[in-house]
Amino acid sequence: MPADAAAARFGTMQAGYESYYLRAADPAGGRGCWIRYTVRIAPDEEPSGSLWFTWFDREGPTATKQTTRGVAGAAGQDGPWLEVAGGRIESGRAIGEISCVADRPPVRWDLAFAGEPPLKHLGGSWRYTASLPRTKPVSIHPMACLSGTVGIGEREYAVHDWPGMVGHNWGTQHAERWIWLHGMRFDGYDDSTWLDVVLGRIQVGPVLMPWIASGAMSVEGERIRVGGIARVFGTHVRERPTGASLRLPGSSGSHIGVEVGAPSERFVGWVYASPGGEAHDVANCSIADIEVAVQRSRRPNLLLRANGTAAYELGMLEHDHGIAIQPFPDGPAR
């Protein structure tokens, strides 16, 4: 894995996908944004890029998406990580706009960010060059502070020191099923306490593997590694489209219990397609409620709560989940 966790990989892929994404939530809870920049690569085709945007509040999400031919990105620290349709994400800044989608309000954003050092979810660098898993996740800033503006139609929202994160992943195929969890601004704790975990079930031949978690729980700046292949049999997950209950083993005998969720009307639904064409329905809420129980050896147990500032995402093959799917296909630009 290159030293720069943010470096673009799509230039070396024959087929695959890459995405950069960020989220920010009002510290008071109940509203926030999720923005994604993606590129799809297919053999003998020009790369296709998309901008994805969702504004969340308690009345429901406002979502839109634009897909176009042609993208650019930097394999090193200089230049934007990814440029799509006039939008770009780079070190410390994300900007963009989507104004050409029928029946959707124009949206725009200009956000500066800074945050925690990168989190390599998979641990050792060799795992980022191995054939499995086929998706490689890394958080550029597992906890970040964002400031700037977000516009929807004629409304302009000021974002001032909102907590959030900045993520990056790439690969050749999505997991058969996955969960993304991000928790922050827990009651009574500052931004040195956060949770950033991805979980996946992958298909190996005819076998659907158990849930494998990877990520970290930071408690007042002390990072606890969560999950990993060696701890797969201690990982317990009960997921549903609108939330989940999880028990995740961690380093040094620690355990993390998580209850996360939100009402269905706060979720946005998307279609994610793998390079081979297989499509997943994805339910995402970036203003979810979360409760995290932390058990550490020779330390007091902790119970952390945050309302309206967590992220929960479930990727699945079923379609009877009750979350309205946005009318945007995920594939090459036409």
Side-chain angles (χ1 to χ4, degrees):
M1 178 180 178
D4 183 3
R9 270 69 174 184
F10 70 88
T12 63
M13 295 181 186
Q14 292 185 336
Y17 68 91
E18 185 165 19
S19 70
Y20 295 85
Y21 56 94
L22 61 85
R23 64 176 297 250
D26 186 333
R31 63 176 185 165
C33 63
W34 172 93
I35 298 166
R36 188 170 179 241
Y37 303 70
T38 64
V39 56
R40 284 173 52 91
I41 307 96
D44 303 319
E45 291 188 11
E46 183 182 8
S48 177
S50 297
L51 294 176
W52 315 55
F53 173 92
T54 307
W55 175 264
F56 294 92
D57 60 35
R58 298 190 186 279
E59 297 177 356
T62 299
T64 189
K65 179 185 176 184
Q66 179 180 353
T67 299
T68 184
R69 288 287 187 187
V71 297
Q77 296 182 353
D78 297 330
W81 302 331
L82 187 59
E83 290 186 85
V84 177
R88 71 179 188 272
I89 184 167
E90 59 194 5
S91 179
R93 191 181 185 195
I95 64 171
E97 65 175 310
I98 304 173
S99 58
C100 58
V101 179
D103 301 323
R104 300 299 165 106
V107 302
R108 58 207 171 274
W109 61 93
D110 187 340
L111 296 168
F113 55 80
E116 292 269 350
L119 168 64
K120 296 179 181 178
H121 285 264
L122 301 182
S125 296
W126 68 271
R127 297 183 185 275
Y128 285 86
T129 57
S131 59
L132 292 174
R134 295 186 178 93
T135 292
K136 314 297 186 185
V138 60
S139 292
I140 299 168
H141 300 300
M143 185 70 210
C145 182
L146 297 97
S147 294
T149 58
V150 174
I152 303 173
E154 296 181 353
R155 292 187 176 183
E156 195 85 6
Y157 296 94
V159 175
H160 180 64
D161 290 342
W162 282 19
M165 66 85 64
V166 181
H168 180 203
N169 59 42
W170 64 93
T172 58
Q173 186 178 356
H174 294 299
E176 192 79 356
R177 196 170 185 83
W178 73 83
I179 292 171
W180 172 49
L181 294 173
H182 189 255
M184 60 187 187
R185 282 294 164 99
F186 295 102
D187 296 342
Y189 289 81
D190 63 18
D191 287 346
S192 64
T193 298
W194 45 265
L195 174 70
D196 187 7
V197 176
V198 295
L199 301 97
R201 298 191 71 181
I202 62 175
Q203 191 82 29
V204 180
V207 178
L208 181 61
M209 300 297 288
W211 283 105
I212 301 174
S214 61
M217 174 86 227
S218 175
V219 179
E220 297 181 324
E222 178 188 349
R223 292 192 185 187
I224 302 167
R225 294 295 310 189
V226 174
I229 294 177
R231 303 185 183 101
V232 65
F233 293 110
T235 299
H236 300 285
V237 179
R238 288 184 296 159
E239 81 280 14
R240 58 192 188 280
T242 57
S245 301
L246 309 97
R247 183 166 174 80
L248 309 174
S251 57
S252 303
S254 60
H255 285 84
I256 310 297
V258 181
E259 296 286 339
V260 62
S264 60
E265 58 267 21
R266 297 186 195 170
F267 278 77
V268 65
W270 297 102
V271 174
Y272 284 14
S274 287
E278 184 182 64
H280 287 76
D281 280 7
V282 178
N284 179 297
C285 178
S286 286
I287 54 168
D289 302 329
I290 193 169
E291 183 176 280
V292 181
V294 183
Q295 298 177 335
R296 297 174 291 173
S297 179
R298 300 186 181 90
R299 303 280 190 90
N301 293 343
L302 301 176
L303 185 60
L304 310 174
R305 295 188 178 93
N307 292 324
T309 60
Y312 172 74
E313 178 178 284
L314 175 65
M316 52 195 151
L317 290 174
E318 64 266 31
H319 308 295
D320 57 350
H321 42 70
I323 305 298
I325 297 295
Q326 295 295 313
F328 301 105
D330 189 26
R334 303 299 182 189

